[in-house]
Amino acid sequence: MSRAADGRFRRKDLLGLRGVSAEEIGHVLDVSEQFRDINLRRVKKVPTLRGKSVVHLFLEPSTRTRTSFDIAAKRLSADTFSISGSSSSATKGETLLDTARNLAAMHPDIIVVRHGRAGAPLLLSEALPETCIVNAGDGFCEHPTQALLDMLTIRRSLGGFKNRIVTIVGDILHSRVARSAIYGLTTMGATVRICGPRTLIPVGIEGAGVEVHDRLETALKDADAVMMLRIQQERLHRGGHFFPTTREYSRLWGLDRRKLSQWARKDILVMHPGPINRGVELEPEVADGEWSVILDQVENGVAVRMAVLYLVLGGESAARQEGRA
Ligand code: CP
């Protein structure tokens, strides 16, 4: 693939945040800041990726990520093409690899992929050396752009990650959001606490440099941000029952105004990747309350995805080579 790598982000693909350095993450966040400004202009379009094509291959449902990637690519002037599970030939039995090889034969520059199975983006990355692959969420493995937008939101609110405590609450076991956030936040120097039913905490996760808390009260103490996760019903049904009832879950690990007022710092940031199960992990008074930065996360998502699309294609050095900088 002919592309000049940006010195601080040397990747053809973004498959996950595992193994991505603090320098690279910091650079993505810095570039995202520049793209944030474009999203606030009256005319929200720049020629940065003119002549490039981006395929959005979403074989699992999505509202935020898909729209956000599509808006990001269009604001950079790339041509975009969307394929969803229900409208693709995957419904006729075509394998992911065959689908991807056929798409690659049309020479897109980037394939953004969401898939219900962990490892799908890695498979495509190995099979398609000429195409940049960006993971938009694979099974319970990783969701790197979600973690990056979470980190941009935290950095914008708190100024950085050192000596900061971020608590992640809920279904950690099935959460690609949690996995990517843990990799990213610990790399950037934050303390990460996880909290939820023991049945939904991965065995041995303490070794990954996180604190495990059974009780929400201790998990919230002195935390700078709390990230509430959705109970992933679509993944839970495969493994049986993980907690007695939704009501019980909500009583112990759901967040409401009373718990926040009694147990958390006054200025704690309340985050959620969406979609929210209102009344289960988060009461509406909190989701829509003064602590919430949930819509800031969504807003920052567009800038982060613009940065990622730009950087996997080589960033500034490639743009300069092609006369687009
Ligand atoms: N946060 C997130 O991935 O949302 P969607 O499933 O709507 O894309």
Side-chain angles (χ1 to χ4, degrees), residues 277-303:
N277 284 324
R278 285 175 180 255
V280 179
E281 71 272 10
L282 209 50
E283 290 301 317
E285 66 205 19
V286 177
D288 307 324
E290 61 268 36
W291 306 273
S292 175
V293 291
I294 294 169
L295 294 180
D296 297 329
Q297 291 172 261
V298 177
E299 182 181 355
N300 290 331
V302 176

mmCIF file with all atom_site columns, all heavy atoms in Angstrom, residues 277-303:
data_model
loop_
_atom_site.group_PDB
_atom_site.id
_atom_site.type_symbol
_atom_site.label_atom_id
_atom_site.label_alt_id
_atom_site.label_comp_id
_atom_site.label_asym_id
_atom_site.label_entity_id
_atom_site.label_seq_id
_atom_site.pdbx_PDB_ins_code
_atom_site.Cartn_x
_atom_site.Cartn_y
_atom_site.Cartn_z
_atom_site.occupancy
_atom_site.B_iso_or_equiv
_atom_site.pdbx_formal_charge
_atom_site.auth_seq_id
_atom_site.auth_comp_id
_atom_site.auth_asym_id
_atom_site.auth_atom_id
_atom_site.pdbx_PDB_model_num
ATOM 1   N N   . ASN A 1 277 ? -30.050 1.632  28.873 1.00 0.00 ? 277 ASN A N   1
ATOM 2   C CA  . ASN A 1 277 ? -31.279 1.006  29.374 1.00 0.00 ? 277 ASN A CA  1
ATOM 3   C C   . ASN A 1 277 ? -31.731 1.857  30.551 1.00 0.00 ? 277 ASN A C   1
ATOM 4   O O   . ASN A 1 277 ? -31.300 1.640  31.693 1.00 0.00 ? 277 ASN A O   1
ATOM 5   C CB  . ASN A 1 277 ? -31.024 -0.428 29.840 1.00 0.00 ? 277 ASN A CB  1
ATOM 6   C CG  . ASN A 1 277 ? -30.889 -1.390 28.679 1.00 0.00 ? 277 ASN A CG  1
ATOM 7   O OD1 . ASN A 1 277 ? -31.564 -1.254 27.660 1.00 0.00 ? 277 ASN A OD1 1
ATOM 8   N ND2 . ASN A 1 277 ? -30.021 -2.365 28.833 1.00 0.00 ? 277 ASN A ND2 1
ATOM 9   N N   . ARG A 1 278 ? -32.553 2.860  30.275 1.00 0.00 ? 278 ARG A N   1
ATOM 10  C CA  . ARG A 1 278 ? -32.990 3.773  31.343 1.00 0.00 ? 278 ARG A CA  1
ATOM 11  C C   . ARG A 1 278 ? -33.757 2.995  32.411 1.00 0.00 ? 278 ARG A C   1
ATOM 12  O O   . ARG A 1 278 ? -34.581 2.157  32.095 1.00 0.00 ? 278 ARG A O   1
ATOM 13  C CB  . ARG A 1 278 ? -33.874 4.874  30.758 1.00 0.00 ? 278 ARG A CB  1
ATOM 14  C CG  . ARG A 1 278 ? -33.065 5.900  30.002 1.00 0.00 ? 278 ARG A CG  1
ATOM 15  C CD  . ARG A 1 278 ? -33.933 6.925  29.305 1.00 0.00 ? 278 ARG A CD  1
ATOM 16  N NE  . ARG A 1 278 ? -33.064 7.869  28.601 1.00 0.00 ? 278 ARG A NE  1
ATOM 17  C CZ  . ARG A 1 278 ? -32.831 9.106  29.030 1.00 0.00 ? 278 ARG A CZ  1
ATOM 18  N NH1 . ARG A 1 278 ? -33.415 9.569  30.108 1.00 0.00 ? 278 ARG A NH1 1
ATOM 19  N NH2 . ARG A 1 278 ? -32.009 9.896  28.350 1.00 0.00 ? 278 ARG A NH2 1
ATOM 20  N N   . GLY A 1 279 ? -33.429 3.315  33.655 1.00 0.00 ? 279 GLY A N   1
ATOM 21  C CA  . GLY A 1 279 ? -34.097 2.631  34.755 1.00 0.00 ? 279 GLY A CA  1
ATOM 22  C C   . GLY A 1 279 ? -33.437 1.319  35.139 1.00 0.00 ? 279 GLY A C   1
ATOM 23  O O   . GLY A 1 279 ? -33.838 0.680  36.104 1.00 0.00 ? 279 GLY A O   1
ATOM 24  N N   . VAL A 1 280 ? -32.426 0.893  34.364 1.00 0.00 ? 280 VAL A N   1
ATOM 25  C CA  . VAL A 1 280 ? -31.688 -0.326 34.744 1.00 0.00 ? 280 VAL A CA  1
ATOM 26  C C   . VAL A 1 280 ? -30.322 0.091  35.285 1.00 0.00 ? 280 VAL A C   1
ATOM 27  O O   . VAL A 1 280 ? -30.121 0.137  36.490 1.00 0.00 ? 280 VAL A O   1
ATOM 28  C CB  . VAL A 1 280 ? -31.554 -1.306 33.556 1.00 0.00 ? 280 VAL A CB  1
ATOM 29  C CG1 . VAL A 1 280 ? -30.761 -2.549 33.987 1.00 0.00 ? 280 VAL A CG1 1
ATOM 30  C CG2 . VAL A 1 280 ? -32.926 -1.707 33.038 1.00 0.00 ? 280 VAL A CG2 1
ATOM 31  N N   . GLU A 1 281 ? -29.395 0.470  34.403 1.00 0.00 ? 281 GLU A N   1
ATOM 32  C CA  . GLU A 1 281 ? -28.071 0.884  34.905 1.00 0.00 ? 281 GLU A CA  1
ATOM 33  C C   . GLU A 1 281 ? -28.026 2.382  35.232 1.00 0.00 ? 281 GLU A C   1
ATOM 34  O O   . GLU A 1 281 ? -27.129 2.840  35.945 1.00 0.00 ? 281 GLU A O   1
ATOM 35  C CB  . GLU A 1 281 ? -26.948 0.512  33.924 1.00 0.00 ? 281 GLU A CB  1
ATOM 36  C CG  . GLU A 1 281 ? -26.893 1.303  32.625 1.00 0.00 ? 281 GLU A CG  1
ATOM 37  C CD  . GLU A 1 281 ? -27.749 0.689  31.528 1.00 0.00 ? 281 GLU A CD  1
ATOM 38  O OE1 . GLU A 1 281 ? -28.518 -0.236 31.838 1.00 0.00 ? 281 GLU A OE1 1
ATOM 39  O OE2 . GLU A 1 281 ? -27.653 1.136  30.370 1.00 0.00 ? 281 GLU A OE2 1
ATOM 40  N N   . LEU A 1 282 ? -28.977 3.129  34.701 1.00 0.00 ? 282 LEU A N   1
ATOM 41  C CA  . LEU A 1 282 ? -28.928 4.586  34.868 1.00 0.00 ? 282 LEU A CA  1
ATOM 42  C C   . LEU A 1 282 ? -30.351 5.136  34.947 1.00 0.00 ? 282 LEU A C   1
ATOM 43  O O   . LEU A 1 282 ? -31.165 4.875  34.058 1.00 0.00 ? 282 LEU A O   1
ATOM 44  C CB  . LEU A 1 282 ? -28.218 5.161  33.632 1.00 0.00 ? 282 LEU A CB  1
ATOM 45  C CG  . LEU A 1 282 ? -27.424 6.455  33.745 1.00 0.00 ? 282 LEU A CG  1
ATOM 46  C CD1 . LEU A 1 282 ? -26.450 6.428  34.903 1.00 0.00 ? 282 LEU A CD1 1
ATOM 47  C CD2 . LEU A 1 282 ? -26.685 6.705  32.426 1.00 0.00 ? 282 LEU A CD2 1
ATOM 48  N N   . GLU A 1 283 ? -30.618 5.892  36.001 1.00 0.00 ? 283 GLU A N   1
ATOM 49  C CA  . GLU A 1 283 ? -31.924 6.547  36.101 1.00 0.00 ? 283 GLU A CA  1
ATOM 50  C C   . GLU A 1 283 ? -31.917 7.782  35.192 1.00 0.00 ? 283 GLU A C   1
ATOM 51  O O   . GLU A 1 283 ? -30.869 8.447  35.057 1.00 0.00 ? 283 GLU A O   1
ATOM 52  C CB  . GLU A 1 283 ? -32.198 6.968  37.543 1.00 0.00 ? 283 GLU A CB  1
ATOM 53  C CG  . GLU A 1 283 ? -32.455 5.803  38.490 1.00 0.00 ? 283 GLU A CG  1
ATOM 54  C CD  . GLU A 1 283 ? -33.650 4.948  38.053 1.00 0.00 ? 283 GLU A CD  1
ATOM 55  O OE1 . GLU A 1 283 ? -34.681 5.517  37.649 1.00 0.00 ? 283 GLU A OE1 1
ATOM 56  O OE2 . GLU A 1 283 ? -33.537 3.707  38.124 1.00 0.00 ? 283 GLU A OE2 1
ATOM 57  N N   . PRO A 1 284 ? -33.059 8.128  34.601 1.00 0.00 ? 284 PRO A N   1
ATOM 58  C CA  . PRO A 1 284 ? -33.120 9.294  33.722 1.00 0.00 ? 284 PRO A CA  1
ATOM 59  C C   . PRO A 1 284 ? -32.614 10.579 34.385 1.00 0.00 ? 284 PRO A C   1
ATOM 60  O O   . PRO A 1 284 ? -31.975 11.409 33.745 1.00 0.00 ? 284 PRO A O   1
ATOM 61  C CB  . PRO A 1 284 ? -34.612 9.397  33.385 1.00 0.00 ? 284 PRO A CB  1
ATOM 62  C CG  . PRO A 1 284 ? -35.124 8.004  33.520 1.00 0.00 ? 284 PRO A CG  1
ATOM 63  C CD  . PRO A 1 284 ? -34.327 7.373  34.619 1.00 0.00 ? 284 PRO A CD  1
ATOM 64  N N   . GLU A 1 285 ? -32.869 10.717 35.704 1.00 0.00 ? 285 GLU A N   1
ATOM 65  C CA  . GLU A 1 285 ? -32.433 11.934 36.415 1.00 0.00 ? 285 GLU A CA  1
ATOM 66  C C   . GLU A 1 285 ? -30.901 12.077 36.382 1.00 0.00 ? 285 GLU A C   1
ATOM 67  O O   . GLU A 1 285 ? -30.374 13.183 36.498 1.00 0.00 ? 285 GLU A O   1
ATOM 68  C CB  . GLU A 1 285 ? -32.920 11.874 37.872 1.00 0.00 ? 285 GLU A CB  1
ATOM 69  C CG  . GLU A 1 285 ? -32.250 10.750 38.661 1.00 0.00 ? 285 GLU A CG  1
ATOM 70  C CD  . GLU A 1 285 ? -33.050 10.243 39.845 1.00 0.00 ? 285 GLU A CD  1
ATOM 71  O OE1 . GLU A 1 285 ? -34.269 10.478 39.875 1.00 0.00 ? 285 GLU A OE1 1
ATOM 72  O OE2 . GLU A 1 285 ? -32.460 9.580  40.720 1.00 0.00 ? 285 GLU A OE2 1
ATOM 73  N N   . VAL A 1 286 ? -30.200 10.962 36.223 1.00 0.00 ? 286 VAL A N   1
ATOM 74  C CA  . VAL A 1 286 ? -28.734 10.999 36.139 1.00 0.00 ? 286 VAL A CA  1
ATOM 75  C C   . VAL A 1 286 ? -28.299 11.105 34.668 1.00 0.00 ? 286 VAL A C   1
ATOM 76  O O   . VAL A 1 286 ? -27.428 11.907 34.325 1.00 0.00 ? 286 VAL A O   1
ATOM 77  C CB  . VAL A 1 286 ? -28.103 9.757  36.804 1.00 0.00 ? 286 VAL A CB  1
ATOM 78  C CG1 . VAL A 1 286 ? -26.593 9.773  36.636 1.00 0.00 ? 286 VAL A CG1 1
ATOM 79  C CG2 . VAL A 1 286 ? -28.481 9.708  38.269 1.00 0.00 ? 286 VAL A CG2 1
ATOM 80  N N   . ALA A 1 287 ? -28.938 10.309 33.830 1.00 0.00 ? 287 ALA A N   1
ATOM 81  C CA  . ALA A 1 287 ? -28.573 10.331 32.394 1.00 0.00 ? 287 ALA A CA  1
ATOM 82  C C   . ALA A 1 287 ? -28.726 11.739 31.821 1.00 0.00 ? 287 ALA A C   1
ATOM 83  O O   . ALA A 1 287 ? -27.943 12.160 30.967 1.00 0.00 ? 287 ALA A O   1
ATOM 84  C CB  . ALA A 1 287 ? -29.452 9.356  31.628 1.00 0.00 ? 287 ALA A CB  1
ATOM 85  N N   . ASP A 1 288 ? -29.738 12.461 32.302 1.00 0.00 ? 288 ASP A N   1
ATOM 86  C CA  . ASP A 1 288 ? -30.007 13.801 31.770 1.00 0.00 ? 288 ASP A CA  1
ATOM 87  C C   . ASP A 1 288 ? -29.601 14.904 32.754 1.00 0.00 ? 288 ASP A C   1
ATOM 88  O O   . ASP A 1 288 ? -29.912 16.073 32.538 1.00 0.00 ? 288 ASP A O   1
ATOM 89  C CB  . ASP A 1 288 ? -31.515 13.944 31.471 1.00 0.00 ? 288 ASP A CB  1
ATOM 90  C CG  . ASP A 1 288 ? -32.027 12.815 30.593 1.00 0.00 ? 288 ASP A CG  1
ATOM 91  O OD1 . ASP A 1 288 ? -31.283 12.376 29.705 1.00 0.00 ? 288 ASP A OD1 1
ATOM 92  O OD2 . ASP A 1 288 ? -33.167 12.348 30.814 1.00 0.00 ? 288 ASP A OD2 1
ATOM 93  N N   . GLY A 1 289 ? -28.940 14.515 33.827 1.00 0.00 ? 289 GLY A N   1
ATOM 94  C CA  . GLY A 1 289 ? -28.646 15.474 34.895 1.00 0.00 ? 289 GLY A CA  1
ATOM 95  C C   . GLY A 1 289 ? -27.343 16.219 34.712 1.00 0.00 ? 289 GLY A C   1
ATOM 96  O O   . GLY A 1 289 ? -26.656 16.075 33.698 1.00 0.00 ? 289 GLY A O   1
ATOM 97  N N   . GLU A 1 290 ? -27.001 16.992 35.746 1.00 0.00 ? 290 GLU A N   1
ATOM 98  C CA  . GLU A 1 290 ? -25.863 17.910 35.650 1.00 0.00 ? 290 GLU A CA  1
ATOM 99  C C   . GLU A 1 290 ? -24.514 17.201 35.580 1.00 0.00 ? 290 GLU A C   1
ATOM 100 O O   . GLU A 1 290 ? -23.525 17.785 35.154 1.00 0.00 ? 290 GLU A O   1
ATOM 101 C CB  . GLU A 1 290 ? -25.884 18.904 36.828 1.00 0.00 ? 290 GLU A CB  1
ATOM 102 C CG  . GLU A 1 290 ? -25.777 18.280 38.210 1.00 0.00 ? 290 GLU A CG  1
ATOM 103 C CD  . GLU A 1 290 ? -27.143 17.975 38.843 1.00 0.00 ? 290 GLU A CD  1
ATOM 104 O OE1 . GLU A 1 290 ? -28.066 17.590 38.099 1.00 0.00 ? 290 GLU A OE1 1
ATOM 105 O OE2 . GLU A 1 290 ? -27.271 18.100 40.070 1.00 0.00 ? 290 GLU A OE2 1
ATOM 106 N N   . TRP A 1 291 ? -24.454 15.927 35.976 1.00 0.00 ? 291 TRP A N   1
ATOM 107 C CA  . TRP A 1 291 ? -23.184 15.188 35.945 1.00 0.00 ? 291 TRP A CA  1
ATOM 108 C C   . TRP A 1 291 ? -22.900 14.616 34.545 1.00 0.00 ? 291 TRP A C   1
ATOM 109 O O   . TRP A 1 291 ? -21.785 14.244 34.238 1.00 0.00 ? 291 TRP A O   1
ATOM 110 C CB  . TRP A 1 291 ? -23.227 13.989 36.893 1.00 0.00 ? 291 TRP A CB  1
ATOM 111 C CG  . TRP A 1 291 ? -23.604 14.282 38.302 1.00 0.00 ? 291 TRP A CG  1
ATOM 112 C CD1 . TRP A 1 291 ? -22.760 14.661 39.300 1.00 0.00 ? 291 TRP A CD1 1
ATOM 113 C CD2 . TRP A 1 291 ? -24.902 14.198 38.879 1.00 0.00 ? 291 TRP A CD2 1
ATOM 114 N NE1 . TRP A 1 291 ? -23.447 14.807 40.461 1.00 0.00 ? 291 TRP A NE1 1
ATOM 115 C CE2 . TRP A 1 291 ? -24.757 14.546 40.247 1.00 0.00 ? 291 TRP A CE2 1
ATOM 116 C CE3 . TRP A 1 291 ? -26.163 13.881 38.389 1.00 0.00 ? 291 TRP A CE3 1
ATOM 117 C CZ2 . TRP A 1 291 ? -25.843 14.569 41.116 1.00 0.00 ? 291 TRP A CZ2 1
ATOM 118 C CZ3 . TRP A 1 291 ? -27.231 13.904 39.260 1.00 0.00 ? 291 TRP A CZ3 1
ATOM 119 C CH2 . TRP A 1 291 ? -27.073 14.250 40.594 1.00 0.00 ? 291 TRP A CH2 1
ATOM 120 N N   . SER A 1 292 ? -23.957 14.499 33.757 1.00 0.00 ? 292 SER A N   1
ATOM 121 C CA  . SER A 1 292 ? -23.859 13.707 32.528 1.00 0.00 ? 292 SER A CA  1
ATOM 122 C C   . SER A 1 292 ? -23.040 14.390 31.430 1.00 0.00 ? 292 SER A C   1
ATOM 123 O O   . SER A 1 292 ? -23.245 15.560 31.100 1.00 0.00 ? 292 SER A O   1
ATOM 124 C CB  . SER A 1 292 ? -25.267 13.433 31.990 1.00 0.00 ? 292 SER A CB  1
ATOM 125 O OG  . SER A 1 292 ? -25.182 12.765 30.741 1.00 0.00 ? 292 SER A OG  1
ATOM 126 N N   . VAL A 1 293 ? -22.101 13.636 30.850 1.00 0.00 ? 293 VAL A N   1
ATOM 127 C CA  . VAL A 1 293 ? -21.368 14.110 29.662 1.00 0.00 ? 293 VAL A CA  1
ATOM 128 C C   . VAL A 1 293 ? -21.642 13.168 28.488 1.00 0.00 ? 293 VAL A C   1
ATOM 129 O O   . VAL A 1 293 ? -20.840 13.070 27.554 1.00 0.00 ? 293 VAL A O   1
ATOM 130 C CB  . VAL A 1 293 ? -19.841 14.222 29.939 1.00 0.00 ? 293 VAL A CB  1
ATOM 131 C CG1 . VAL A 1 293 ? -19.539 15.348 30.906 1.00 0.00 ? 293 VAL A CG1 1
ATOM 132 C CG2 . VAL A 1 293 ? -19.252 12.903 30.455 1.00 0.00 ? 293 VAL A CG2 1
ATOM 133 N N   . ILE A 1 294 ? -22.778 12.496 28.544 1.00 0.00 ? 294 ILE A N   1
ATOM 134 C CA  . ILE A 1 294 ? -23.072 11.448 27.557 1.00 0.00 ? 294 ILE A CA  1
ATOM 135 C C   . ILE A 1 294 ? -23.173 12.016 26.143 1.00 0.00 ? 294 ILE A C   1
ATOM 136 O O   . ILE A 1 294 ? -22.641 11.440 25.193 1.00 0.00 ? 294 ILE A O   1
ATOM 137 C CB  . ILE A 1 294 ? -24.362 10.689 27.972 1.00 0.00 ? 294 ILE A CB  1
ATOM 138 C CG1 . ILE A 1 294 ? -24.089 9.928  29.284 1.00 0.00 ? 294 ILE A CG1 1
ATOM 139 C CG2 . ILE A 1 294 ? -24.812 9.740  26.873 1.00 0.00 ? 294 ILE A CG2 1
ATOM 140 C CD1 . ILE A 1 294 ? -25.313 9.357  29.962 1.00 0.00 ? 294 ILE A CD1 1
ATOM 141 N N   . LEU A 1 295 ? -23.803 13.165 25.994 1.00 0.00 ? 295 LEU A N   1
ATOM 142 C CA  . LEU A 1 295 ? -23.900 13.738 24.644 1.00 0.00 ? 295 LEU A CA  1
ATOM 143 C C   . LEU A 1 295 ? -22.584 14.385 24.209 1.00 0.00 ? 295 LEU A C   1
ATOM 144 O O   . LEU A 1 295 ? -22.305 14.494 23.014 1.00 0.00 ? 295 LEU A O   1
ATOM 145 C CB  . LEU A 1 295 ? -25.079 14.708 24.555 1.00 0.00 ? 295 LEU A CB  1
ATOM 146 C CG  . LEU A 1 295 ? -26.451 14.023 24.712 1.00 0.00 ? 295 LEU A CG  1
ATOM 147 C CD1 . LEU A 1 295 ? -27.586 15.029 24.605 1.00 0.00 ? 295 LEU A CD1 1
ATOM 148 C CD2 . LEU A 1 295 ? -26.646 12.899 23.681 1.00 0.00 ? 295 LEU A CD2 1
ATOM 149 N N   . ASP A 1 296 ? -21.759 14.794 25.180 1.00 0.00 ? 296 ASP A N   1
ATOM 150 C CA  . ASP A 1 296 ? -20.407 15.260 24.824 1.00 0.00 ? 296 ASP A CA  1
ATOM 151 C C   . ASP A 1 296 ? -19.612 14.100 24.216 1.00 0.00 ? 296 ASP A C   1
ATOM 152 O O   . ASP A 1 296 ? -18.834 14.281 23.275 1.00 0.00 ? 296 ASP A O   1
ATOM 153 C CB  . ASP A 1 296 ? -19.645 15.770 26.055 1.00 0.00 ? 296 ASP A CB  1
ATOM 154 C CG  . ASP A 1 296 ? -20.315 16.972 26.683 1.00 0.00 ? 296 ASP A CG  1
ATOM 155 O OD1 . ASP A 1 296 ? -20.943 17.748 25.955 1.00 0.00 ? 296 ASP A OD1 1
ATOM 156 O OD2 . ASP A 1 296 ? -20.234 17.116 27.909 1.00 0.00 ? 296 ASP A OD2 1
ATOM 157 N N   . GLN A 1 297 ? -19.801 12.906 24.779 1.00 0.00 ? 297 GLN A N   1
ATOM 158 C CA  . GLN A 1 297 ? -19.119 11.724 24.233 1.00 0.00 ? 297 GLN A CA  1
ATOM 159 C C   . GLN A 1 297 ? -19.512 11.536 22.766 1.00 0.00 ? 297 GLN A C   1
ATOM 160 O O   . GLN A 1 297 ? -18.655 11.286 21.908 1.00 0.00 ? 297 GLN A O   1
ATOM 161 C CB  . GLN A 1 297 ? -19.508 10.462 25.020 1.00 0.00 ? 297 GLN A CB  1
ATOM 162 C CG  . GLN A 1 297 ? -18.977 10.415 26.440 1.00 0.00 ? 297 GLN A CG  1
ATOM 163 C CD  . GLN A 1 297 ? -19.564 9.225  27.195 1.00 0.00 ? 297 GLN A CD  1
ATOM 164 O OE1 . GLN A 1 297 ? -20.512 9.357  27.950 1.00 0.00 ? 297 GLN A OE1 1
ATOM 165 N NE2 . GLN A 1 297 ? -19.006 8.047  26.986 1.00 0.00 ? 297 GLN A NE2 1
ATOM 166 N N   . VAL A 1 298 ? -20.812 11.643 22.496 1.00 0.00 ? 298 VAL A N   1
ATOM 167 C CA  . VAL A 1 298 ? -21.282 11.447 21.121 1.00 0.00 ? 298 VAL A CA  1
ATOM 168 C C   . VAL A 1 298 ? -20.691 12.522 20.199 1.00 0.00 ? 298 VAL A C   1
ATOM 169 O O   . VAL A 1 298 ? -20.214 12.238 19.095 1.00 0.00 ? 298 VAL A O   1
ATOM 170 C CB  . VAL A 1 298 ? -22.832 11.468 21.071 1.00 0.00 ? 298 VAL A CB  1
ATOM 171 C CG1 . VAL A 1 298 ? -23.317 11.337 19.634 1.00 0.00 ? 298 VAL A CG1 1
ATOM 172 C CG2 . VAL A 1 298 ? -23.401 10.353 21.933 1.00 0.00 ? 298 VAL A CG2 1
ATOM 173 N N   . GLU A 1 299 ? -20.699 13.760 20.683 1.00 0.00 ? 299 GLU A N   1
ATOM 174 C CA  . GLU A 1 299 ? -20.145 14.860 19.876 1.00 0.00 ? 299 GLU A CA  1
ATOM 175 C C   . GLU A 1 299 ? -18.664 14.614 19.586 1.00 0.00 ? 299 GLU A C   1
ATOM 176 O O   . GLU A 1 299 ? -18.200 14.735 18.451 1.00 0.00 ? 299 GLU A O   1
ATOM 177 C CB  . GLU A 1 299 ? -20.326 16.180 20.633 1.00 0.00 ? 299 GLU A CB  1
ATOM 178 C CG  . GLU A 1 299 ? -19.817 17.376 19.854 1.00 0.00 ? 299 GLU A CG  1
ATOM 179 C CD  . GLU A 1 299 ? -19.976 18.687 20.627 1.00 0.00 ? 299 GLU A CD  1
ATOM 180 O OE1 . GLU A 1 299 ? -20.564 18.688 21.721 1.00 0.00 ? 299 GLU A OE1 1
ATOM 181 O OE2 . GLU A 1 299 ? -19.480 19.703 20.122 1.00 0.00 ? 299 GLU A OE2 1
ATOM 182 N N   . ASN A 1 300 ? -17.924 14.214 20.608 1.00 0.00 ? 300 ASN A N   1
ATOM 183 C CA  . ASN A 1 300 ? -16.490 13.971 20.440 1.00 0.00 ? 300 ASN A CA  1
ATOM 184 C C   . ASN A 1 300 ? -16.215 12.781 19.525 1.00 0.00 ? 300 ASN A C   1
ATOM 185 O O   . ASN A 1 300 ? -15.152 12.687 18.907 1.00 0.00 ? 300 ASN A O   1
ATOM 186 C CB  . ASN A 1 300 ? -15.828 13.749 21.800 1.00 0.00 ? 300 ASN A CB  1
ATOM 187 C CG  . ASN A 1 300 ? -15.776 15.037 22.610 1.00 0.00 ? 300 ASN A CG  1
ATOM 188 O OD1 . ASN A 1 300 ? -15.714 16.122 22.041 1.00 0.00 ? 300 ASN A OD1 1
ATOM 189 N ND2 . ASN A 1 300 ? -15.817 14.923 23.930 1.00 0.00 ? 300 ASN A ND2 1
ATOM 190 N N   . GLY A 1 301 ? -17.197 11.873 19.442 1.00 0.00 ? 301 GLY A N   1
ATOM 191 C CA  . GLY A 1 301 ? -17.030 10.686 18.606 1.00 0.00 ? 301 GLY A CA  1
ATOM 192 C C   . GLY A 1 301 ? -16.782 11.026 17.145 1.00 0.00 ? 301 GLY A C   1
ATOM 193 O O   . GLY A 1 301 ? -15.981 10.370 16.461 1.00 0.00 ? 301 GLY A O   1
ATOM 194 N N   . VAL A 1 302 ? -17.443 12.040 16.642 1.00 0.00 ? 302 VAL A N   1
ATOM 195 C CA  . VAL A 1 302 ? -17.252 12.407 15.227 1.00 0.00 ? 302 VAL A CA  1
ATOM 196 C C   . VAL A 1 302 ? -15.812 12.871 15.005 1.00 0.00 ? 302 VAL A C   1
ATOM 197 O O   . VAL A 1 302 ? -15.146 12.446 14.053 1.00 0.00 ? 302 VAL A O   1
ATOM 198 C CB  . VAL A 1 302 ? -18.259 13.502 14.802 1.00 0.00 ? 302 VAL A CB  1
ATOM 199 C CG1 . VAL A 1 302 ? -17.992 13.951 13.367 1.00 0.00 ? 302 VAL A CG1 1
ATOM 200 C CG2 . VAL A 1 302 ? -19.690 13.003 14.940 1.00 0.00 ? 302 VAL A CG2 1
ATOM 201 N N   . ALA A 1 303 ? -15.319 13.706 15.902 1.00 0.00 ? 303 ALA A N   1
ATOM 202 C CA  . ALA A 1 303 ? -13.949 14.216 15.758 1.00 0.00 ? 303 ALA A CA  1
ATOM 203 C C   . ALA A 1 303 ? -12.918 13.091 15.855 1.00 0.00 ? 303 ALA A C   1
ATOM 204 O O   . ALA A 1 303 ? -11.949 13.046 15.084 1.00 0.00 ? 303 ALA A O   1
ATOM 205 C CB  . ALA A 1 303 ? -13.680 15.273 16.826 1.00 0.00 ? 303 ALA A CB  1
#
